[in-house]
Amino acid sequence: MNAKHTAGRTTGPDEDPGAIGRRVQRLRTERNLTQRQLAEPAYTPAYVSTLEAGRVRPSEAALRHLAERLGVTYEELATGRPAHLATALRLELVEAQRTLATGAAEDAAASYARLLAEAGRHGLDEERATALLGLGHCALETGDLPTAREHFEAAERLLADAPLPRRAPAVRGRAVAHLLAGELRYACYLLESAIDELNTSGLQDPGALLLLYTAAIAPYMDMGAHARAAQAGELALALAPRVSDPELVAGLHRSVARTLIAAGRTSEADASLAKAAEIYQQLQIRTELAHCHWMRGYVHAQDGDLAGAETELRAARDMLASKRAALYTAQVEVELADVLRRRGKDAQAQELLHRLLGELHPDRGSVHAGGAHRLLGLIHEDRGDPESAEEHYVTALSLLERAGAAGDLADICRLLGDLLRRVGRTEAAMDAYRTGLGHRASPGTTTLGPSPVRPPTA
């Protein structure tokens, strides 16, 4: 944190008068100044001697006088941080953000870890929080969900006293980690609580709301709450900033910041870096582009254009794989396998599903693991192997029940019931149908009740 000034007293990460005194003495000696030369005309040599000995806590006015005489910034003298350190760190954090948006998560994680340690050494909590958020997003891309949650929770703790809009990215990251782990209701709870707090407390920050509404769409869809998903999408689109070429704009702000830093114009450089960071944070360009192909593939599949769907899903899969985003890649491959099966390519679909099931488990992608078992059940059923089909359907049912994916649960119960009825197990089929009807009884239900409050200006 930056130093805070109160009347007659300087506070900050380094409040030890002895440390400040030693710093003054070291800088004075390096510049070959006597205590008199440093003190005059505002102070006495005796005051400087007392200060250097650590027997007096200097006032803000005294530190500003001494800093000017020593040729350093006030902050450097008060805290021991090199001049412009925070701005230089922010520039490197934006570079790491660019790497995550356009390159490999592992490379970005190495940069974030180094910057986290450096920010920690100098007591820069804002920069530490930014590095932790970056590490959390890297862990999400690589599928390390427990580590992702730890980083997001640590960022929230550092920002505990900050306004909710500043904490929103950490809340969103934590919710996405729980979503990918199959904890749909808790993900909705985190997002809905934050949205309600923003909308009812006068903190309707458009950027924060955009992050939270877009994050809520996936768990709503997986839970069968399609009306809520549609409303979240509508509100997110209304909030979305209009940026024609976000990567170009972000790169421009980064380049401008470099020139401003070189000119010593740190406040202006900080403003440019903030703009670049906001664009990278909101768009996560390459990953989001892959998600666009993913959604286009889904739409093509719904419209019956299976060839177009396969092309789009393969493009999404290849882009995510190139970023080594293992969990997202596996999720796309489930949908790709469905398209392959519908195109009559059962062998390819089955091979793909068996391979990716090795990467998914109940605590890491349970909804999509359930989807993979559902598809394997359909393939075995088409081949006349009802026993294997039933085994996959039951496994899918167990995974989806744990995740609370209501829409998918109703579908798998119908498939299981139809299979059991065809083989003459009528009572078991009725039980499966009843289970499915129970999950269809309350469409749109998510966590604790009604959907989040709409923004007053929406």
Side-chain angles (χ1 to χ4, degrees):
M1 288 182 181
N2 294 331
K4 300 176 183 176
H5 313 307
T6 55
R9 182 169 180 259
T10 298
T11 64
D14 185 354
E15 291 197 354
D16 177 12
I20 295 174
R22 290 189 294 273
R23 193 175 302 124
V24 170
Q25 184 179 43
R26 174 178 59 78
L27 292 169
R28 178 181 63 78
T29 303
E30 288 174 357
R31 288 153 177 74
N32 295 316
L33 295 173
T34 65
Q35 291 179 337
R36 180 178 299 279
Q37 289 171 321
L38 180 59
E40 292 180 344
Y43 298 92
T44 65
Y47 174 75
V48 173
S49 175
T50 304
L51 188 154
E52 289 183 349
R55 294 196 296 270
V56 63
R57 185 183 300 279
S59 67
E60 178 182 339
L63 276 182
R64 290 194 180 280
H65 166 80
L66 297 173
E68 183 178 357
R69 301 285 290 172
L70 291 167
V72 297
T73 64
Y74 166 81
E75 183 181 19
E76 183 174 0
L77 189 60
T79 67
R81 299 178 190 137
H84 313 314
L85 171 71
T87 300
L89 268 177
R90 283 192 280 274
L91 176 61
E92 291 194 70
L93 285 165
V94 169
E95 294 286 353
Q97 216 168 353
R98 183 191 66 81
T99 301
L100 177 59
T102 61
E106 288 89 345
D107 296 336
S111 297
Y112 279 126
R114 175 178 57 79
L115 294 168
L116 176 64
E118 188 171 352
R121 283 195 297 273
H122 295 285
L124 295 167
D125 284 352
E126 282 284 336
E127 287 68 30
R128 285 175 63 201
T130 301
L132 285 165
L133 285 171
L135 286 168
H137 286 298
C138 292
L140 280 183
E141 288 221 353
T142 57
D144 187 353
L145 303 181
T147 298
R149 284 197 297 271
E150 289 174 10
H151 288 315
F152 290 127
E153 287 166 2
E156 278 196 85
R157 286 194 295 272
L158 276 176
L159 298 170
D161 296 329
L164 180 55
R166 179 70 182 89
R167 290 183 278 117
V171 175
R172 174 195 178 277
R174 199 151 58 95
V176 172
H178 285 289
L179 164 66
L180 294 176
E183 298 160 1
L184 308 185
R185 291 183 181 275
Y186 190 61
C188 286
Y189 167 74
L190 289 174
L191 295 166
E192 290 180 347
S193 298
I195 289 169
D196 274 340
E197 186 176 344
L198 282 169
N199 285 333
T200 59
S201 63
L203 297 172
Q204 296 95 13
D205 181 275
L209 283 170
L210 178 66
L211 285 174
L212 297 171
Y213 278 127
T214 53
I217 293 171
Y220 283 156
M221 291 297 291
D222 285 345
M223 295 180 69
H226 298 156
R228 288 200 186 184
Q231 182 190 58
E234 170 197 336
L235 295 171
L237 287 171
L239 291 163
R242 298 181 182 275
V243 180
S244 58
D245 188 342
E247 187 172 6
L248 180 61
V249 173
L252 171 64
H253 287 305
R254 285 172 44 244
S255 299
V256 168
R258 287 181 178 279
T259 63
L260 293 170
I261 290 171
R265 296 158 62 184
T266 54
S267 61
E268 295 169 77
D270 282 344
S272 284
L273 290 172
K275 292 175 184 175
E278 181 181 0
I279 293 170
Y280 286 129
Q281 175 180 302
Q282 288 183 358
L283 298 181
Q284 290 291 312
I285 295 164
R286 189 162 179 79
T287 299
E288 289 301 320
L289 186 57
H291 279 70
C292 290
H293 284 291
W294 183 354
M295 290 308 298
R296 284 173 64 182
Y298 175 81
V299 170
H300 283 313
Q302 295 300 305
D303 290 341
D305 179 8
L306 299 181
E310 182 177 348
T311 299
E312 294 290 348
L313 291 171
R314 286 189 184 278
R317 189 267 307 273
D318 292 345
M319 292 175 72
L320 292 166
S322 73
K323 289 183 95 274
R324 297 194 283 277
L327 191 53
Y328 288 134
T329 302
Q331 291 175 330
V332 172
E333 286 181 331
V334 173
E335 297 204 27
L336 176 59
D338 185 32
V339 170
L340 291 172
R341 182 191 68 84
R342 291 168 63 186
R343 297 195 73 191
K345 303 177 181 180
D346 285 6
Q348 290 183 42
Q350 187 170 6
E351 180 183 357
L352 181 59
L353 290 166
H354 280 300
R355 179 176 59 76
L356 67 88
L357 274 175
E359 303 169 12
L360 300 169
H361 52 74
D363 297 321
R364 186 173 180 268
S366 59
V367 173
H368 290 80
H373 281 290
R374 172 187 175 277
L375 290 174
L376 286 168
L378 288 169
I379 291 171
H380 283 288
E381 194 170 354
D382 290 342
R383 290 178 178 172
D385 182 1
E387 291 184 1
S388 296
E390 180 183 351
E391 183 179 338
H392 284 294
Y393 289 153
V394 170
T395 302
L397 179 60
S398 174
L399 288 165
L400 295 170
E401 276 188 321
R402 177 180 301 189
D408 292 338
L409 268 168
D411 178 64
I412 202 69
C413 288
R414 177 187 60 80
L415 290 172
L416 179 59
D418 289 350
L419 173 65
L420 294 170
R421 181 172 53 81
R422 281 195 295 272
V423 297
R425 295 164 60 188
T426 307
E427 286 299 321
M430 292 296 291
D431 287 340
Y433 289 139
R434 279 191 286 266
T435 301
L437 286 171
H439 289 296
R440 276 297 190 197
S442 52
T445 301
T446 55
T447 53
L448 304 177
S451 59
V453 175
R454 292 174 67 94
T457 57

